[in-house]
Amino acid sequence: MDYEQWAEWYDVYYSTAPRSETDFYVELARESGGPTLEIGVGTGRVAIPAAKAGVDVTGVDLHKPMLERAARKARAAGLPDGKPELLQADMRYLDLGRRFRTVMIPANTLLLATSQEDQLRALRRAAAHLAPEGRLAFDVFVPGPDLLADDERTPFIWGETVHPETGNRVVMSAVNNTDGATQLNRETQIFEEFDHNGSLCRRAELPIALRYLFPAECHALIEEAGLVAEKVYGGFDRSPLAGESEEHIYVCRLSGRPAA
């Protein structure tokens, strides 16, 4: 992934995400009283509102361009220097030497680990940072039949938004390249920005690889990581997981036994 470009388009991409997603994680952090660890902090989309709500937040990301943009956004939001704390780290090998009352892995971040082994490694490292009474929450999308059957490799439009910095219209499309054997989707996100005259002024093609997960596999990974899925939701409104759910969301606690 080209994270220099992804950092630039990250907030455009997530501008269409429901507010309920951010609210869900901020509320979990507030309920715990902190401190909170966000894995895959990106440009601070969740960490900054949580910090503004008075929670002590540490955010980690593998890529420096994301962290630099998050720091600028935090300053623009009026937060003091160092709030939230932003650190560069790989979620598969994370070792901060601290424990947190909330650990969260929002926005399909776990799927960026593109093998089952790496996904389990990331969950184990997240669990290692969880306080005994704490909760770990993460969400991943439900791999629906359209994705699994998508072999056309032709772009499809999935959203339209307004660029938060330029005010221009942005049309977002994607191309899926799904491998059912490995559960890998090597996707290309396409952003086309149109100026106020309707002329195309910028176009970016950004590749991303995700290893999707089914609910049964998630439960197995959670157990192997030394966790128990205390609550499972099918939406950020805390509705139950059902056949029509587009995401599965887990709130976990430590199982009380070492990870396998």
Side-chain angles (χ1 to χ4, degrees), residues 1 3 91 108-114 119 208-211:
M1 293 175 65
Y3 273 89
M91 64 179 173
N108 298 301
T109 295
L110 183 62
L111 305 186
L112 293 171
T114 53
Q119 289 172 342
I208 183 170
L210 300 169
R211 183 182 184 271

Side-chain angles (χ1 to χ4, degrees), residues 55-79:
V55 180
D56 182 10
V57 183
T58 297
V60 300
D61 203 281
L62 181 58
H63 299 281
K64 190 175 180 180
M66 292 288 193
L67 297 169
E68 290 171 342
R69 188 169 285 259
R72 292 196 298 270
K73 287 173 61 180
R75 289 193 297 270
L79 289 168

